[in-house]
Amino acid sequence: MKLRHVITVTLGGLISLVLFFTFLLALRPVTIRVDHDWLKPLALLMASALYLGGVGLLFRYFHRINPRISRWVSWSLWGLFLLIQLWVATAWVAAPRADLYFVHQQALDLIHGSQHWNAYFYTYPNNVSFTLLLSGVMRVGHLFTGSYNSGVWLNLVQFAWLDLGLVAIWHQLHHKNPARANLFMVIIMTTIPLYTYALNTYSDTYVLPLGLLAIAAFRYLQRATSWQQITWRSLLLSLLLVAAYLLKANFIVLLIAAVLTIWIRPNHAPHQSFTRCLFTLVLLATLVVGGGLSRKTQQANGYTINQNDSLPATSWIAMSWNPATYGQYNPTDVANVRLQPTKAAKQAVAKQTLTQRLQSMGPVGILTHLYRKARLFLASGTFDAFQVNSAFDRAPNWYRQHRATTDWFLANWCQVSYLALILVNLGWGIQQIRRYHLTSAYLLGGLFFVGLTCFHVIFWESEERYALPLLFLLVMGTAAGYRQPLNILRYSQRSRWLPLGMAAAFTVLLAGAAWQNSNLMVHSNSEPVSVVSQNEGRYFQGHRLSIATKKSLTQPFSAPLPFNVIRVSNGQKLTGHLTLKNSQGKIVWRSRGQQIHMNQTVPLQSAGAYTLTITNQGRRPVRVLTAPATYPLLPQAIQHHPNQYLRFNVQQTSVAPVLSNGKFWLLFGAMWLSGLLVIDRFYWYRRRI
C-alpha cells in the first residue's frame, strides 16, 4: 500500500509539472497554421484572471440557490445549449476537404455497392474504420432525409453524439454536486472548439464521446461491489476503450492510463485485486476480439491491408523529427517513403531518415525540436478549430464577410479560457498532492494528458487537433475541482482602501496591456475573404483534366458575396484567357494578353451566379487540377464533365487593421468594467464556501 501511495503522489507531481509547462507555453501560442494575431501575454493573463473571476462568481451563485431553483437552472442551461447547437448545425455546413474528401467519397461508394477502395486508404489505413462507420450513418440519414449527402443531418448526428458524452460527465457531476454540474454546462457552452469540431465529419469528432463515456464508466467500475457489477462494468468500459482505439489509434494511451489507474487506486470491491485482474483480462480479450472483428468487417467491404502500400510507423516518427517543421505532416517526407516499392524498402528509408536526423541534430537540437513540437501541440487553446474547416457549403453571409474579425475574437477567447482552465486544474492537482490523496478520475485524466502529450511530442506527428481530448479533460477538471481562492478582500475590514488599491492596480496593468496591443489598430490583416473555395484536387491524388488546344473548360459557380480575385489551379501559367460571365450569359470580365497566370484580379463583381471559362490557345494541351466526386463539391460540376470539379478560389480582398479603433477600445473598456465588477462582487460577497 505504501508503494502504491508513493507512486500515486509521484504521478500527481508529474501531471502538475506538465500542466505548469503547458500554461507557460500557452502564454505565447504559435503563429504558424493560423491567420490571425494573438493578444500579448499580459493581456491574456489579465483576461484569464477575469474569466476565473466570472467562474468564481457563478460558482458562488450556484451554491447559494436552493435545490428547486437549481433544477430550473440546469434545465434552462441544457435548453439554451441545445438551441445554440441547433442554430449552428443548420446555419453552417462544412465542405469535406483533404482527408475528409476521401472518407466522404469512399463512404458514398460503399453505399452504392462499390467495394473498390481509393489508393489513399492503402497508404493511410487508419481511416478505414471511420469510413465504414460514416457509410452506416449516411444510410440511416437517407431514411430520414431522402439524401445520402445531407450536411445538416451529419451535423445533428455529431452534436447528438457529442452530447451523449457530455451528459455522462454532467450526470457524474450532478450526482456529486449540482452546482458543479451547472458550472460544467456554462463552461462547455462557451467552449468554441466543441462547435467547430461538431461541424467536422471526421474521426476526431466521433472518438471524443467514447473517451468521455469511458471516463464515466471507469468511475462506475471503481464503485462496483458485487462480481456481477464488476463483470458487466468491466465489459462496458473495455468496449468503450477498444472502440475508441480502433477508431483512432492514439487512444491506446487511454487504455494504458485506465489499466495503470485501476491497479494504483483502491476500489470499493471486497477483494480489490479481483476487480483489477478481471478488468485487465476482459480488456485484453476485448482488444483481441475487437481487432479481429474490425479486420473481418473491412474485408467483407472489400478492403484488405496491403503492407507494401501503407506507411510504416517508422515513417511517421521520422517525419515528426524533421527539423524544418514543428513535427507537422510533411508531404515531401511522405512522398519519399511512398515511392519505395516494398514494405522493407519503405522501412529502410524511414529508419535511415530518422537516424540521420537525430545524429545531425545532436542533444541541443533534439531538445529544441521537442520544445517546438510541444509548443505546437499544447500552446494553442483553439486546438486548430479555425483551420479544421477550411470551407463551408453553407454559412451565414455576415460570417463570411467578417470571418477574420469573428475568428480573431473567438480564437483569443479560446486562449483566455484555456489558460484559466489550466490554472484551475493545476491548483486542484496541487491541493490533492498536499493532502496526499488523488482522486481516481483526476489520475486517469492526468495520465491520459501526459501520455497523449508524450505520444505526439516524442514519437508521432504533432498537430493541435490531436490535443482536442485534453480540452475536455480540462473542462471536466475545472468543474469537478474548482475551489474558491483565499478571499484576501476579507482584510478590507482592517483596510477599507484595499479594494480601491486593487482596482487602481488592475487599471494600470490593463492600460499597459492596451498599449502593448495598440498595433492591432494599425497592423493590416491582409487575409482575403473567401467567397468560393474548391481546394480539393491537390492532396494525395493531384487529379487533372486536359484542355486541348483551341478548346475550353467551363465551371459554373455561385458567389454569396462580392469578389474581385480569381485563382485557378495554383495560379499556373496559361496561353489563352479566362472569361467570366454572369447568370444572363453576359461577359463581365476577360483576361488580357496571351500569356497569363491564372491568378487574376478582376473588377469588383456583385454576388450571384457566374461561369468561369478557361480557353487554351496554346500549341499544347493544358492540364488543370480538378477533383472527381459523386457528391456536390460545388452546386454544379464542370460543364460536359459530370462529377468533376475545378480547383479554384474566388476571394474578396480586404486590407484593414485587425481591429478598428472602436472595436479595440470597446474590447479593453469591457475588460476594465468587468474587472471592476469582479473586484466589487468579491468584496461584498465575503462569505466563503
PDB file of all heavy atoms in Angstrom, residues 655-673:
ATOM      1  N   VAL A 655      -8.055  44.719 -47.085  1.00  0.00           N
ATOM      2  CA  VAL A 655      -6.876  45.162 -46.338  1.00  0.00           C
ATOM      3  C   VAL A 655      -7.335  46.179 -45.302  1.00  0.00           C
ATOM      4  O   VAL A 655      -7.754  47.282 -45.630  1.00  0.00           O
ATOM      5  CB  VAL A 655      -5.812  45.780 -47.268  1.00  0.00           C
ATOM      6  CG1 VAL A 655      -4.608  46.231 -46.462  1.00  0.00           C
ATOM      7  CG2 VAL A 655      -5.411  44.781 -48.340  1.00  0.00           C
ATOM      8  N   ALA A 656      -7.286  45.776 -44.046  1.00  0.00           N
ATOM      9  CA  ALA A 656      -7.766  46.627 -42.957  1.00  0.00           C
ATOM     10  C   ALA A 656      -7.057  46.218 -41.683  1.00  0.00           C
ATOM     11  O   ALA A 656      -6.470  45.135 -41.603  1.00  0.00           O
ATOM     12  CB  ALA A 656      -9.277  46.484 -42.807  1.00  0.00           C
ATOM     13  N   PRO A 657      -7.060  47.079 -40.663  1.00  0.00           N
ATOM     14  CA  PRO A 657      -6.464  46.678 -39.379  1.00  0.00           C
ATOM     15  C   PRO A 657      -7.161  45.458 -38.800  1.00  0.00           C
ATOM     16  O   PRO A 657      -8.307  45.159 -39.139  1.00  0.00           O
ATOM     17  CB  PRO A 657      -6.679  47.915 -38.504  1.00  0.00           C
ATOM     18  CG  PRO A 657      -6.892  49.044 -39.448  1.00  0.00           C
ATOM     19  CD  PRO A 657      -7.558  48.452 -40.652  1.00  0.00           C
ATOM     20  N   VAL A 658      -6.458  44.769 -37.925  1.00  0.00           N
ATOM     21  CA  VAL A 658      -7.053  43.615 -37.256  1.00  0.00           C
ATOM     22  C   VAL A 658      -8.313  44.044 -36.518  1.00  0.00           C
ATOM     23  O   VAL A 658      -9.349  43.386 -36.589  1.00  0.00           O
ATOM     24  CB  VAL A 658      -6.039  42.976 -36.279  1.00  0.00           C
ATOM     25  CG1 VAL A 658      -6.673  41.808 -35.546  1.00  0.00           C
ATOM     26  CG2 VAL A 658      -4.794  42.521 -37.021  1.00  0.00           C
ATOM     27  N   LEU A 659      -8.223  45.166 -35.797  1.00  0.00           N
ATOM     28  CA  LEU A 659      -9.370  45.733 -35.099  1.00  0.00           C
ATOM     29  C   LEU A 659      -9.453  47.222 -35.412  1.00  0.00           C
ATOM     30  O   LEU A 659      -8.435  47.916 -35.419  1.00  0.00           O
ATOM     31  CB  LEU A 659      -9.252  45.539 -33.587  1.00  0.00           C
ATOM     32  CG  LEU A 659      -9.332  44.119 -33.018  1.00  0.00           C
ATOM     33  CD1 LEU A 659      -9.158  44.158 -31.511  1.00  0.00           C
ATOM     34  CD2 LEU A 659     -10.646  43.458 -33.378  1.00  0.00           C
ATOM     35  N   SER A 660     -10.659  47.695 -35.633  1.00  0.00           N
ATOM     36  CA  SER A 660     -10.841  49.140 -35.774  1.00  0.00           C
ATOM     37  C   SER A 660     -10.658  49.797 -34.409  1.00  0.00           C
ATOM     38  O   SER A 660     -10.680  49.131 -33.367  1.00  0.00           O
ATOM     39  CB  SER A 660     -12.239  49.437 -36.326  1.00  0.00           C
ATOM     40  OG  SER A 660     -13.224  49.020 -35.390  1.00  0.00           O
ATOM     41  N   ASN A 661     -10.477  51.122 -34.420  1.00  0.00           N
ATOM     42  CA  ASN A 661     -10.307  51.844 -33.153  1.00  0.00           C
ATOM     43  C   ASN A 661     -11.480  51.605 -32.211  1.00  0.00           C
ATOM     44  O   ASN A 661     -11.304  51.390 -30.997  1.00  0.00           O
ATOM     45  CB  ASN A 661     -10.170  53.348 -33.428  1.00  0.00           C
ATOM     46  CG  ASN A 661      -8.852  53.681 -34.102  1.00  0.00           C
ATOM     47  OD1 ASN A 661      -8.057  52.794 -34.371  1.00  0.00           O
ATOM     48  ND2 ASN A 661      -8.637  54.959 -34.381  1.00  0.00           N
ATOM     49  N   GLY A 662     -12.694  51.629 -32.761  1.00  0.00           N
ATOM     50  CA  GLY A 662     -13.867  51.442 -31.922  1.00  0.00           C
ATOM     51  C   GLY A 662     -13.913  50.062 -31.278  1.00  0.00           C
ATOM     52  O   GLY A 662     -14.192  49.930 -30.086  1.00  0.00           O
ATOM     53  N   LYS A 663     -13.627  49.021 -32.082  1.00  0.00           N
ATOM     54  CA  LYS A 663     -13.654  47.660 -31.539  1.00  0.00           C
ATOM     55  C   LYS A 663     -12.545  47.449 -30.517  1.00  0.00           C
ATOM     56  O   LYS A 663     -12.730  46.747 -29.518  1.00  0.00           O
ATOM     57  CB  LYS A 663     -13.516  46.646 -32.670  1.00  0.00           C
ATOM     58  CG  LYS A 663     -14.734  46.579 -33.577  1.00  0.00           C
ATOM     59  CD  LYS A 663     -14.511  45.616 -34.733  1.00  0.00           C
ATOM     60  CE  LYS A 663     -15.740  45.581 -35.644  1.00  0.00           C
ATOM     61  NZ  LYS A 663     -15.515  44.726 -36.828  1.00  0.00           N
ATOM     62  N   PHE A 664     -11.392  48.051 -30.763  1.00  0.00           N
ATOM     63  CA  PHE A 664     -10.272  47.907 -29.835  1.00  0.00           C
ATOM     64  C   PHE A 664     -10.626  48.480 -28.465  1.00  0.00           C
ATOM     65  O   PHE A 664     -10.472  47.806 -27.431  1.00  0.00           O
ATOM     66  CB  PHE A 664      -9.035  48.606 -30.405  1.00  0.00           C
ATOM     67  CG  PHE A 664      -7.827  48.549 -29.504  1.00  0.00           C
ATOM     68  CD1 PHE A 664      -6.955  47.478 -29.576  1.00  0.00           C
ATOM     69  CD2 PHE A 664      -7.561  49.567 -28.594  1.00  0.00           C
ATOM     70  CE1 PHE A 664      -5.831  47.415 -28.757  1.00  0.00           C
ATOM     71  CE2 PHE A 664      -6.453  49.510 -27.774  1.00  0.00           C
ATOM     72  CZ  PHE A 664      -5.587  48.437 -27.857  1.00  0.00           C
ATOM     73  N   TRP A 665     -11.120  49.717 -28.445  1.00  0.00           N
ATOM     74  CA  TRP A 665     -11.427  50.341 -27.157  1.00  0.00           C
ATOM     75  C   TRP A 665     -12.680  49.749 -26.526  1.00  0.00           C
ATOM     76  O   TRP A 665     -12.816  49.738 -25.290  1.00  0.00           O
ATOM     77  CB  TRP A 665     -11.570  51.853 -27.326  1.00  0.00           C
ATOM     78  CG  TRP A 665     -10.257  52.486 -27.648  1.00  0.00           C
ATOM     79  CD1 TRP A 665      -9.891  53.101 -28.803  1.00  0.00           C
ATOM     80  CD2 TRP A 665      -9.104  52.505 -26.791  1.00  0.00           C
ATOM     81  NE1 TRP A 665      -8.586  53.511 -28.740  1.00  0.00           N
ATOM     82  CE2 TRP A 665      -8.073  53.166 -27.509  1.00  0.00           C
ATOM     83  CE3 TRP A 665      -8.833  52.042 -25.514  1.00  0.00           C
ATOM     84  CZ2 TRP A 665      -6.808  53.373 -26.979  1.00  0.00           C
ATOM     85  CZ3 TRP A 665      -7.567  52.244 -24.981  1.00  0.00           C
ATOM     86  CH2 TRP A 665      -6.576  52.904 -25.708  1.00  0.00           C
ATOM     87  N   LEU A 666     -13.585  49.225 -27.343  1.00  0.00           N
ATOM     88  CA  LEU A 666     -14.740  48.516 -26.789  1.00  0.00           C
ATOM     89  C   LEU A 666     -14.276  47.254 -26.061  1.00  0.00           C
ATOM     90  O   LEU A 666     -14.775  46.948 -24.960  1.00  0.00           O
ATOM     91  CB  LEU A 666     -15.708  48.149 -27.913  1.00  0.00           C
ATOM     92  CG  LEU A 666     -16.964  47.372 -27.491  1.00  0.00           C
ATOM     93  CD1 LEU A 666     -17.826  48.215 -26.551  1.00  0.00           C
ATOM     94  CD2 LEU A 666     -17.763  46.953 -28.720  1.00  0.00           C
ATOM     95  N   LEU A 667     -13.305  46.539 -26.647  1.00  0.00           N
ATOM     96  CA  LEU A 667     -12.780  45.325 -26.025  1.00  0.00           C
ATOM     97  C   LEU A 667     -12.138  45.627 -24.676  1.00  0.00           C
ATOM     98  O   LEU A 667     -12.477  45.010 -23.652  1.00  0.00           O
ATOM     99  CB  LEU A 667     -11.773  44.661 -26.966  1.00  0.00           C
ATOM    100  CG  LEU A 667     -10.962  43.498 -26.383  1.00  0.00           C
ATOM    101  CD1 LEU A 667     -11.872  42.332 -26.042  1.00  0.00           C
ATOM    102  CD2 LEU A 667      -9.863  43.066 -27.362  1.00  0.00           C
ATOM    103  N   PHE A 668     -11.206  46.585 -24.664  1.00  0.00           N
ATOM    104  CA  PHE A 668     -10.490  46.865 -23.416  1.00  0.00           C
ATOM    105  C   PHE A 668     -11.369  47.614 -22.410  1.00  0.00           C
ATOM    106  O   PHE A 668     -11.189  47.471 -21.196  1.00  0.00           O
ATOM    107  CB  PHE A 668      -9.193  47.633 -23.706  1.00  0.00           C
ATOM    108  CG  PHE A 668      -8.088  46.743 -24.178  1.00  0.00           C
ATOM    109  CD1 PHE A 668      -7.889  46.497 -25.521  1.00  0.00           C
ATOM    110  CD2 PHE A 668      -7.251  46.109 -23.268  1.00  0.00           C
ATOM    111  CE1 PHE A 668      -6.878  45.661 -25.958  1.00  0.00           C
ATOM    112  CE2 PHE A 668      -6.237  45.267 -23.690  1.00  0.00           C
ATOM    113  CZ  PHE A 668      -6.048  45.037 -25.039  1.00  0.00           C
ATOM    114  N   GLY A 669     -12.326  48.388 -22.911  1.00  0.00           N
ATOM    115  CA  GLY A 669     -13.276  49.017 -21.995  1.00  0.00           C
ATOM    116  C   GLY A 669     -14.152  47.977 -21.304  1.00  0.00           C
ATOM    117  O   GLY A 669     -14.422  48.071 -20.104  1.00  0.00           O
ATOM    118  N   ALA A 670     -14.586  46.969 -22.055  1.00  0.00           N
ATOM    119  CA  ALA A 670     -15.382  45.897 -21.461  1.00  0.00           C
ATOM    120  C   ALA A 670     -14.563  45.114 -20.442  1.00  0.00           C
ATOM    121  O   ALA A 670     -15.071  44.729 -19.381  1.00  0.00           O
ATOM    122  CB  ALA A 670     -15.901  44.968 -22.563  1.00  0.00           C
ATOM    123  N   MET A 671     -13.285  44.892 -20.736  1.00  0.00           N
ATOM    124  CA  MET A 671     -12.420  44.199 -19.777  1.00  0.00           C
ATOM    125  C   MET A 671     -12.258  45.020 -18.503  1.00  0.00           C
ATOM    126  O   MET A 671     -12.264  44.475 -17.389  1.00  0.00           O
ATOM    127  CB  MET A 671     -11.046  43.921 -20.412  1.00  0.00           C
ATOM    128  CG  MET A 671     -11.060  42.858 -21.483  1.00  0.00           C
ATOM    129  SD  MET A 671      -9.450  42.648 -22.292  1.00  0.00           S
ATOM    130  CE  MET A 671      -8.428  42.117 -20.916  1.00  0.00           C
ATOM    131  N   TRP A 672     -12.136  46.334 -18.648  1.00  0.00           N
ATOM    132  CA  TRP A 672     -11.956  47.204 -17.473  1.00  0.00           C
ATOM    133  C   TRP A 672     -13.195  47.182 -16.585  1.00  0.00           C
ATOM    134  O   TRP A 672     -13.111  46.985 -15.376  1.00  0.00           O
ATOM    135  CB  TRP A 672     -11.643  48.619 -17.942  1.00  0.00           C
ATOM    136  CG  TRP A 672     -11.411  49.578 -16.813  1.00  0.00           C
ATOM    137  CD1 TRP A 672     -10.398  49.553 -15.900  1.00  0.00           C
ATOM    138  CD2 TRP A 672     -12.229  50.704 -16.475  1.00  0.00           C
ATOM    139  NE1 TRP A 672     -10.521  50.598 -15.006  1.00  0.00           N
ATOM    140  CE2 TRP A 672     -11.629  51.327 -15.342  1.00  0.00           C
ATOM    141  CE3 TRP A 672     -13.380  51.257 -17.018  1.00  0.00           C
ATOM    142  CZ2 TRP A 672     -12.175  52.459 -14.758  1.00  0.00           C
ATOM    143  CZ3 TRP A 672     -13.923  52.389 -16.436  1.00  0.00           C
ATOM    144  CH2 TRP A 672     -13.312  52.974 -15.315  1.00  0.00           C
ATOM    145  N   LEU A 673     -14.366  47.336 -17.208  1.00  0.00           N
ATOM    146  CA  LEU A 673     -15.602  47.319 -16.430  1.00  0.00           C
ATOM    147  C   LEU A 673     -15.837  45.952 -15.791  1.00  0.00           C
ATOM    148  O   LEU A 673     -16.282  45.863 -14.644  1.00  0.00           O
ATOM    149  CB  LEU A 673     -16.785  47.691 -17.332  1.00  0.00           C
ATOM    150  CG  LEU A 673     -16.820  49.143 -17.830  1.00  0.00           C
ATOM    151  CD1 LEU A 673     -17.976  49.348 -18.792  1.00  0.00           C
ATOM    152  CD2 LEU A 673     -16.934  50.112 -16.650  1.00  0.00           C
TER     153      LEU A 673
END
